[in-house]
Amino acid sequence: MREVIIDLGSPPAAEPDVEMSRPLPPYWRKLLAAVVAALACVPLLTTASLPEPSPVQFLAFLPGNSTEGLLMHQGVIVLSDGLGMTGYAPDGTKRWHIAGDASASRMQPQPAEHLLVLSGERPGAGGAVPYSIAIDLITGERVWSSDSYVTVFGGYLAALRDDQSVEVFEISTLKRVFSLPSQRAVALDVFHAAKPAIVALGVDGLLRTYEVPSGAPAHEPVRIDVPASQDVYLNPGADKIVLELMERQDGGNETWPGPLSRMAVDRGTLNVSYDQAEQNQSYERDCGPVICVQSFANQGASVEVLSRDGQTRWPVPQDGWVEWRHDRLFRTGHPGDLAVVDPANGSVLVNLAGWEIVYSGWPGGVGGPALLAQRGLTGTRLARLGERGLLPIGSIPLLPNECTYESPFLACTTQDGQIGVWRVAPAR
């Protein structure tokens, strides 16, 4: 067999008969080690090495102006200028326009799946008359209208007409599921619960509750004595329905509730829990795990927070206010005062002084993480509220007059009436 001599200081000659199981000679081992070391110094192109997108991305200035209303729902930004309404996509694309009597500022907007429901009044022959419409947010088509006031709740829409009759519709189809005859509802309230229902006070003085969608009576009627000289309004409370009585003056004008002008009915049983004789001057609101109670007295209004079992309560500082939003209890007071407080005792959990909540354009705001804004000299900082405090996001280079937010989009009006739209990424 021929002997092969290899010089370790120079490349070897080709040897086709070298077996694969033989170890690499020192020269090749040195060369391979040098190549591996060089490759280790070369940066690899991975997603981690790519530049991160800006957490706050400007999308567009909308071509219209908003002089009367700015709303956002289902990814559609709705502007109202007193002459009608226009819907835009977040990138500034115009989707639809409705001219005439539709105005988000003159009528109360309510979210209803794919619809924009507006309820209020329009001019009539003898003055203002009730009027409500439902608009398809995608096409802008006016799919429903009624000479009534409407309330959206639990997938349904309740319409209260001028003759005190009621019609209840299913939102998804706008199909009427049941109705109540005339004079059956001087005032109307709804149950926002897993099992929706409506409660109505009739001209006959009977307070009735109806299951939705069947329309079957949920309780025996309860008689409520309302003086003929007073109008009655039902206000949704936390565990009670609060009836406010307004004394009519000459000419039909109404005054604010005075002495002997409130009564309350338990939501679950319809039992009257207090009446006019007790001169109860408090109004209850649902604040998540607790009940917020606003009281009226000669020295002014005060606010307390009451536990659901009625065993504990704590006062809100004078001129303060509390509201349950984004799964937290917020306390506000003088301008710039904002804090997240413990529902059990009112102690401050997160101090948000100098910040403000950016709400959605709908009554009650939106669920999910709260978007917070803080105005500065050169722009407005944005942050989300985490479990332990603020999570900064970024900023926008302007001081807006008004903002509305629906994740992930933020729309703000500027001082000159323009509307800017941004995409806001989640906080890291």
Side-chain angles (χ1 to χ4, degrees), residues 128-130 147-149 159-166 182-183 185:
V129 296
D147 292 330
S148 62
Y149 299 109
L160 175 61
R161 298 185 180 278
D162 231 7
D163 63 353
Q164 289 91 44
S165 65
V166 178
S182 62
Q183 300 190 350

Side-chain angles (χ1 to χ4, degrees), residues 161-232:
R161 298 185 180 278
D162 231 7
D163 63 353
Q164 289 91 44
S165 65
V166 178
E167 291 182 303
V168 179
F169 299 84
E170 187 179 48
I171 283 293
S172 59
T173 62
L174 288 177
K175 176 185 176 182
R176 187 175 67 181
V177 294
F178 77 90
S179 61
L180 302 178
S182 62
Q183 300 190 350
R184 185 55 62 88
V186 176
L188 183 74
D189 190 15
V190 298
F191 288 86
H192 298 268
K195 188 176 181 180
I198 64 172
V199 57
L201 178 64
V203 175
D204 56 6
L206 293 179
L207 192 68
R208 302 174 176 91
T209 301
Y210 303 89
E211 296 179 353
V212 177
S214 69
H219 298 287
E220 289 294 323
V222 175
R223 179 164 298 282
I224 302 293
D225 293 323
V226 178
S229 62
Q230 294 182 338
D231 289 332
V232 63

Side-chain angles (χ1 to χ4, degrees), residues 336-338 351-357 372-374 381-383 390 392:
D337 178 23
L338 179 65
N351 190 347
L352 300 172
W355 291 82
E356 56 188 276
I357 303 174
L372 299 163
Q374 184 183 57
R381 298 170 59 198
L382 300 175
L390 286 176

